[in-house]
Amino acid sequence: MKSSISRARCTPGHCAARVRALQAAVASTFIALPMLFAAAPAGAVQFIVTDLGALGGTFSAASGINATGKVVGYAYDTGNVNYRAFLWQFGSMQDLGTLGTLGGTNSFATGINAAGQVVGDSYTSGNTAQRAFLWQAGGIRDLGTLGGTLSFATGINAAGQVVGYSNPSGDAAQHAFLWQGGSMQDLGTLGGTLSYAAGINAAGMVVGHATTSGNAATHAFLWQPGGMLDLGTLGGTTSRATGINGAAQVVGYST
């Protein structure tokens, strides 16, 4: 199930249109690196853009970078047949594979921490469903679900705690989760049926958005052990939190 508050995802059924649209503006993934030039005014910082390439196809997109400059995202493989999660480092792009035991051919990386652990999601057999994964040197791990058929990882902190969202049993809802120590915890909602985790800080505090009672509105939340706090809005009915830092300062947007 994909709800109206889920992040956008390119699925095999509509990838072609999206790729053509993106290629018109951006041919491939890039990284901007600050450089100091002697000809520039004192103290001025300029940038160069580096093409990160692809995995044999014509399209790639970056979704995250860590403190050491390692980049993650997804790219077409040879022949533009499948999307594969990648890790770019030391000048080359590595295919992170898929959850092969589940039979899927597409995967997407969404985040990376300082230790180089990567999170994302991979299709299952027949590319009919997606499951959150954690990749680290040595292989890719299925993080499971909250009892339903789908799960998506959106972020990871330095401690290896993973956040995202998943369907509970029956697939009638979508709930934010925190994965740690080998198990996935349901973070609940603000009274409605939908919630989405967008970020996590080093202390394990999670932010995102969730629907209120009766799914009447969508509000940003801050979750920490003990419960989910409604962060309110700027006077309208909708707000969404997109990130949190070590000082528990939260950013996002609101009506």
Side-chain angles (χ1 to χ4, degrees):
M1 179 197 71
K2 294 292 185 67
S3 80
S4 60
I5 66 170
S6 299
R7 62 189 166 89
R9 164 64 74 215
C10 183
T11 59
H14 67 267
C15 276
R18 179 179 174 188
V19 170
R20 285 193 292 271
L22 288 176
Q23 285 177 331
V26 181
S28 56
T29 305
F30 67 87
I31 181 172
L33 302 174
M35 297 289 290
L36 294 177
F37 293 91
V45 177
Q46 297 187 15
F47 293 85
I48 59 171
V49 177
T50 302
D51 186 344
L52 302 190
L55 293 172
T58 60
F59 172 86
S60 61
S63 54
I65 185 171
N66 71 4
T68 61
K70 296 179 181 179
V71 181
V72 295
Y74 59 99
Y76 260 144
D77 61 8
T78 301
N80 294 335
V81 178
N82 303 301
Y83 279 121
R84 304 299 285 267
F86 72 76
L87 169 64
W88 183 91
Q89 59 180 337
F90 312 124
S92 64
M93 185 176 287
Q94 176 184 353
D95 185 340
L96 299 186
T98 70
L99 293 171
T101 56
L102 299 176
T105 58
N106 292 275
S107 59
F108 307 83
T110 56
I112 182 171
N113 66 8
Q117 295 176 300
V118 181
V119 294
D121 52 81
S122 172
Y123 277 93
T124 59
S125 180
N127 292 333
T128 57
Q130 286 165 277
R131 299 284 284 269
F133 71 74
L134 170 64
W135 181 95
Q136 50 193 341
I140 190 170
R141 177 176 183 174
D142 182 358
L143 300 187
T145 73
L146 291 173
T149 58
L150 301 177
S151 61
F152 303 83
T154 58
I156 182 170
N157 66 7
Q161 295 173 300
V162 181
V163 294
Y165 59 99
S166 174
N167 298 134
S169 181
D171 292 341
Q174 171 189 294
H175 287 185
F177 72 74
L178 170 64
W179 183 93
Q180 58 183 339
S183 63
M184 185 177 287
Q185 177 182 354
D186 189 335
L187 301 188
T189 72
L190 293 172
T193 60
L194 305 173
S195 60
Y196 168 94
I200 182 171
N201 69 5
M205 303 170 76
V206 182
V207 294
H209 56 270
T211 52
T212 59
S213 180
N215 294 327
T218 299
H219 286 186
F221 71 75
L222 169 64
W223 181 94
Q224 53 188 329
M228 183 178 286
L229 173 66
D230 187 339
L231 298 185
T233 72
L234 293 175
T237 59
T238 301
S239 62
R240 302 187 183 197
T242 57
I244 181 172
N245 67 9
Q249 293 172 307
V250 180
V251 294
Y253 57 97
S254 172
T255 52

